[in-house]
């Protein structure tokens, strides 16, 4: 059997081209996997930092909610005391009016005492009302930042899922597409960390 030298050269060149193609493909796969691994590590680290801050914010929200409930409870107690004092004043004044003029002066001291009590309860009640409103404002401000962290966590989870698929399928375009939710997630996380006024109200309302 004759062997054509040209065929041998052609076969050798084809094998060399296949090897070069596989080598180039393997190099691209390694680069993509490395990029995916680094990106996932960075995003996971950022998510961990945001998680710590978000947990602290949730605890502060719970404390603000508890303070608000306590202040409104004390407000109601002060309100009841004020109403009782005012009712007592009315009864004392009616009883005073029914007394002879010479005895009416004796009723001035208890009436004045209950008037002072009613005034004191009204002032303390108003202070509690302001504190309860401040507690609600604190809760709302903290909830605003909690929403930012929640949205950041969701976007980064989507990005990591896309990165996993990109690594499995070796699709570079999917890697770059995953950077969109990743970037938005990092942006929302930074906004929550430093207190930026960045809040997608429509998306948050839809998810709530």
């Amino acid at each position: 059997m004759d062997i054509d030298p040209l065929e041998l050269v052609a076969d050798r060149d084809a094998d060399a081209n296949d090897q070069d193609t596989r080598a180039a493909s393997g190099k691209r796969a390694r680069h993509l996997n490395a990029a995916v691994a680094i990106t996932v590590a960075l995003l996971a680290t950022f998510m961990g930092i945001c998680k710590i801050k978000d947990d602290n914010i949730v605890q502060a929200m719970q404390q603000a909610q508890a303070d608000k409930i306590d202040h409104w409870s004390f407000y109601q107690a002060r309100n009841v005391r004020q109403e009782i004092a005012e009712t007592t004043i009315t009864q004392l004044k009616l009883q005073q009016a029914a007394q002879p003029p010479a005895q009416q002066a004796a009723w001035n001291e208890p009436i004045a005492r209950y008037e002072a009590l009613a005034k004191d309860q009204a002032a303390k009640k108003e202070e509690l009302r302001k504190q309860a409103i401040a507690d609600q404002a604190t809760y709302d401000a903290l909830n605003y930042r909690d929403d930012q962290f929640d949205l950041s966590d969701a976007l980064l989870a989507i990005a990591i899922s896309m990165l996993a698929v990109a690594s499995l399928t070796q699709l570079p375009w999917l890697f770059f597409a995953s950077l969109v939710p990743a970037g938005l997630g990092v942006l929302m996380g930074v906004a929550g960390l430093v207190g930026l006024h960045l809040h997608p109200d429509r998306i948050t309302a839809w998810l709530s």
Side-chain angles (χ1 to χ4, degrees), residues 65-102:
Q65 186 76 349
D67 290 342
K68 183 187 73 171
I69 293 172
D70 288 342
H71 286 141
W72 279 123
S73 297
F74 286 127
Y75 173 89
Q76 294 298 333
R78 297 290 184 187
N79 188 54
V80 170
R81 292 179 184 178
Q82 180 187 356
E83 291 179 353
I84 291 174
E86 290 174 347
T87 300
T88 303
I89 292 169
T90 301
Q91 292 174 348
L92 290 174
K93 286 184 177 181
L94 290 173
Q95 293 176 12
Q96 181 187 41
Q99 301 299 317

Side-chain angles (χ1 to χ4, degrees), residues 168-190:
L168 290 173
T169 59
Q170 292 298 304
L171 296 175
W173 68 266
L174 187 56
F175 168 80
F176 291 107
S178 70
L179 298 181
V180 175
L184 292 174
V186 170
L187 177 62
M188 294 305 302
V190 171

Side-chain angles (χ1 to χ4, degrees), residues 155-171:
L155 288 168
L156 293 179
I158 293 172
I160 290 176
S161 298
M162 294 175 66
L163 287 168
V165 176
S167 179
L168 290 173
T169 59
Q170 292 298 304
L171 296 175

Side-chain angles (χ1 to χ4, degrees), residues 122-196:
K124 291 180 178 179
K125 182 183 73 173
E126 178 62 19
E127 182 64 26
L128 287 168
R129 186 186 69 85
K130 292 179 180 179
Q131 290 177 351
I133 292 175
D135 293 334
Q136 182 62 48
T138 299
Y139 179 88
D140 291 339
L142 292 171
N143 188 56
Y144 184 94
R145 298 178 68 184
D146 182 57
D147 288 342
Q148 291 175 321
F149 283 119
D150 288 343
L151 188 56
S152 172
D153 188 59
L155 288 168
L156 293 179
I158 293 172
I160 290 176
S161 298
M162 294 175 66
L163 287 168
V165 176
S167 179
L168 290 173
T169 59
Q170 292 298 304
L171 296 175
W173 68 266
L174 187 56
F175 168 80
F176 291 107
S178 70
L179 298 181
V180 175
L184 292 174
V186 170
L187 177 62
M188 294 305 302
V190 171
L193 289 171
V194 302
L196 295 179

